Amino acid sequence: MQTTFTDEQLKDLGTARANEILRACVHCGFCTATCPTYQVLGDELDSPRGRIYLIKDMLENERVPDEKTVQHIDRCLSCLACMTTCPSGVHYMHLVDHAREYIENTYKRPLSDRLLRWVLSKILPYPMRFRVALLGAKIGRPFARLMPDARLRAMLEMAPKTIPPVSRNDDPQTFPTQTKKMRVALMTGCAQKALNTDINDATIRLLTRLGAEVVIPDGMGCCGALTHHMGKTSESHASAAKNIKSWIHELKNGGLDAIVINTSGCGTTVKDYGHMFAETDLADDAKVVAGLAMDVSEVLMKLNLPEGGAPDMTVAYHAACSLQHGQKIKTFPKDLLRTAGFKVAEPADSHLCCGSAGTYNLMQPEISKQLKTRKVQTLEAVQPDIIAAGNIGCMMQIGSGTDIPIVHTVELLDWATGGPKPPAFSNTGKTASPVPILR
């Protein structure tokens, strides 16, 4: 694609990167075939190719974006399926993130939008605030249908029926292992700590059982993804900087073989810290952290999971977009589940988003609901005993649309290697127990 940015414009790092990405696009349109919003809406401007044209026009002309441009860019899920499909290697993620930052800095949204985004950015990244908000949403849930705004209804409807107690395993500490093969830091996350404490608990048990000493470093917090995708760069970088400093301190004082992340949306962002902090004082440390960041499935592949142990059970595996498209990890979770003895089935539309996408299901509830319905139907079609995923957002989204229990992949792997039965099974009537191979 031909661009006409001036030399003065290209002095800006974000604009220069956008120029590189735009020039790589050859207008082929392959991306439209795998874009969830284009599949649902059928509008060229709701496809990656259409959004690329809008972004190019907006940035080249340095114009204040109009409502139409903002609407189409806001509708992007950042599922990154287009990056998997693109034959030209267009790095759409960096382009749309820069466009969102530009919009945040130049466009004045309606008051209701500004308030919603402010509330989400000030609550979701902070576990204790989020817990309080969840309690309030739980109380208000019966009145969701009375809410005049679809986004407010979605916020109330997505509130879980139960809020787990705080897990002390998320406090700064070290979990030893009997046969130490590696030392890893576990990112405990933010929203996940409020929504589902079983995931980190299972991750710690599984890693230590397989020979990884697990440290929970002091000073960690939100990865910055939520505010980053809103275009709130200063807030996202502040969150990310705290993590970088925390992990570098741990690396220098105790040594680290990996930073383990069990929420794939966070993993995609942390692995991009090198780009986010390029040409800043934290550039070198950010690159080190990005290089150490690994999805939990990547680490488990290195630790040689024992074979067998799982009950005779079919698992429908949901591939989170941030894992399969953002991190290009497609086979490891399925390989691990099969090694543990589970039968693994995949839905017919495994490449398409479930509609969660961070806060997308709260800000674009109508589109999100259509994608959820489609995803749930294809998952249920394989008639599984349980659904497994590697991202808390996907788990909450899919779980709100089906009676089939859904758990994190590590919960099943923990169970198959001697850990407790996942709590999600409590109402399924399943009585099968795995053979405890390694304790």
Side-chain angles (χ1 to χ4, degrees):
M1 176 181 291
Q2 184 178 3
T3 59
T4 58
F5 290 102
T6 66
D7 291 340
E8 187 65 26
Q9 287 177 310
L10 293 176
K11 289 180 181 178
D12 176 73
L13 183 64
T15 302
R17 177 60 176 148
N19 182 54
E20 293 175 1
I21 298 167
L22 289 168
R23 283 179 172 270
C25 179
V26 296
H27 322 272
C28 67
F30 282 15
C31 55
T32 61
T34 56
C35 176
T37 50
Y38 181 74
Q39 296 297 311
V40 169
L41 301 171
D43 187 334
E44 171 74 11
L45 294 179
D46 284 309
S47 73
R49 182 171 62 180
R51 293 185 179 108
I52 284 172
Y53 280 112
L54 291 173
I55 293 170
K56 176 181 181 293
D57 175 66
M58 178 178 68
L59 296 180
E60 278 186 337
N61 295 299
E62 295 183 335
R63 65 176 177 83
V64 175
D66 54 28
E67 183 180 353
K68 178 181 178 181
T69 298
V70 173
Q71 179 188 56
H72 290 297
I73 293 174
D74 281 352
R75 284 177 178 173
C76 175
L77 292 137
S78 279
C79 71
L80 308 182
C82 54
M83 287 178 58
T84 296
T85 310
C86 180
S88 302
V90 175
H91 204 302
Y92 179 81
M93 181 176 80
H94 288 169
L95 180 65
V96 75
D97 283 343
H98 179 64
R100 285 168 173 153
E101 180 184 12
Y102 182 89
I103 289 171
E104 180 68 14
N105 293 334
T106 59
Y107 178 72
K108 187 172 183 179
R109 294 178 178 276
L111 179 61
S112 60
D113 284 2
R114 298 201 306 273
L115 287 174
L116 175 62
R117 287 168 174 265
W118 183 86
V119 168
L120 293 176
S121 68
K122 298 302 180 185
I123 291 180
L124 296 190
Y126 305 94
M128 294 311 297
R129 297 181 195 176
F130 192 24
R131 282 179 173 274
V132 174
L134 288 174
L135 180 60
K138 181 181 177 181
I139 296 172
R141 186 172 182 172
F143 308 101
R145 293 182 180 180
L146 301 178
M147 293 293 119
D149 192 310
R151 295 172 300 183
L152 293 177
R153 291 197 298 272
M155 292 174 71
L156 294 177
E157 291 170 355
M158 284 298 293
K161 295 180 181 179
T162 59
I163 304 170
V166 174
S167 173
R168 297 274 66 101
N169 285 338
D170 290 330
D171 296 340
Q173 60 192 294
T174 298
F175 296 90
T177 181
Q178 291 183 350
T179 56
K180 185 175 177 181
K181 300 176 182 177
M182 62 171 62
R183 186 174 190 267
V184 303
L186 175 63
M187 182 177 188
T188 53
C190 52
Q192 180 170 281
K193 287 166 65 174
L195 292 167
N196 189 330
T197 57
D198 297 323
I199 298 171
N200 285 342
D201 291 348
T203 301
I204 293 167
R205 286 193 302 266
L206 182 59
L207 288 173
T208 54
R209 188 181 301 122
L210 298 182
E213 181 179 270
V214 179
V215 58
I216 312 296
D218 192 15
M220 289 189 305
C222 175
C223 68
L226 186 145
T227 48
H228 180 64
H229 295 312
M230 287 185 184
K232 298 179 182 294
T233 302
S234 59
E235 292 181 41
S236 65
H237 281 209
S239 297
K242 290 180 180 178
N243 289 332
I244 292 170
K245 293 173 183 177
S246 172
W247 291 325
I248 290 296
H249 176 78
E250 195 63 46
L251 174 65
K252 291 179 178 179
N253 288 274
L256 289 176
D257 296 297
I259 298 167
V260 179
I261 305 172
N262 57 18
T263 300
S264 60
C266 300
T268 301
T269 297
V270 175
K271 288 182 177 183
D272 201 45
Y273 276 2
H275 168 74
M276 290 172 61
F277 286 88
E279 298 188 14
T280 70
D281 293 340
L282 284 176
D284 292 339
D285 286 347
K287 288 179 181 178
V288 170
V289 164
L292 285 170
M294 300 178 73
D295 182 72
V296 63
S297 65
E298 294 179 278
V299 176
L300 292 174
M301 290 297 288
K302 294 177 178 290
L303 290 173
N304 298 319
L305 190 81
E307 295 184 6
D312 183 12
M313 188 170 288
T314 298
V315 178
Y317 173 69
H318 165 69
C321 296
S322 47
L323 195 58
Q324 64 169 323
H325 302 308
Q327 300 183 51
K328 307 302 181 186
I329 298 173
K330 300 180 181 181
T331 63
F332 287 173
K334 294 177 289 185
D335 292 342
L336 289 164
L337 287 168
R338 292 189 180 104
T339 297
F342 292 102
K343 297 176 182 177
V344 180
E346 289 185 87
D349 65 345
S350 59
H351 66 285
L352 283 182
C353 184
C354 68
S356 173
T359 58
Y360 191 91
N361 53 2
L362 302 178
M363 293 195 287
Q364 302 286 340
E366 293 87 357
I367 302 172
S368 174
K369 189 171 292 184
Q370 292 182 62
L371 292 170
K372 178 178 72 174
T373 299
R374 176 173 179 168
K375 179 62 67 174
V376 167
Q377 288 175 347
T378 57
L379 283 165
E380 291 181 339
V382 301
Q383 299 182 321
D385 297 298
I386 195 162
I387 300 168
N391 190 59
I392 183 64
C394 301
M395 291 169 61
M396 296 298 297
Q397 173 83 344
I398 295 169
S400 68
T402 181
D403 291 329
I404 299 173
I406 181 166
V407 299
H408 195 287
T409 307
V410 295
E411 293 184 80
L412 292 180
L413 300 176
D414 175 45
W415 183 34
T417 55
K421 190 176 184 178
F425 277 109
S426 59
N427 298 318
T428 65
K430 292 287 180 183
T431 57
S433 297
V435 178
I437 294 178
L438 184 62
R439 295 187 182 278

